[in-house]
Amino acid sequence: MPPKKKGSPGPSVKDPEVYEALRDDGASKEKAARIANAAAAQGRSKVGKRGGNAEDYDDRTVDELRKRAAELGIEGRSRMNKSDLIDALRNH
């Protein structure tokens, strides 16, 4: 197996082009891999049409934010205040 280039995705990323574009836009490695793999499995146009229906994080309660953070596996969420939770969710 050839050595992995610095900054290149691992073998589990199915659409490296989408992954790299998302990373360049500031997405986390996990988020970029999740979206890139969905794009490879379902088609870029289908994945690109998703979204836009979620309530703004600023309009949610702390309990709602903690629940979403739990779904995403964000550690330390029980000690976070609302602004910390919003930041963690946006940058996950």
Side-chain angles (χ1 to χ4, degrees), residues 72-90:
L72 296 175
I74 295 173
E75 294 185 18
R77 62 189 172 271
S78 65
R79 295 181 302 277
M80 293 182 186
N81 61 30
K82 186 171 184 173
S83 63
D84 293 337
L85 284 163
I86 291 170
D87 185 53
L89 289 165
R90 287 184 176 152

Side-chain angles (χ1 to χ4, degrees), residues 60-74 77 85 89:
R60 296 183 188 189
T61 66
V62 172
D63 287 336
E64 291 170 329
L65 295 170
R66 284 197 178 119
K67 182 178 178 185
R68 180 63 180 143
E71 291 169 358
L72 296 175
I74 295 173
R77 62 189 172 271
L85 284 163
L89 289 165

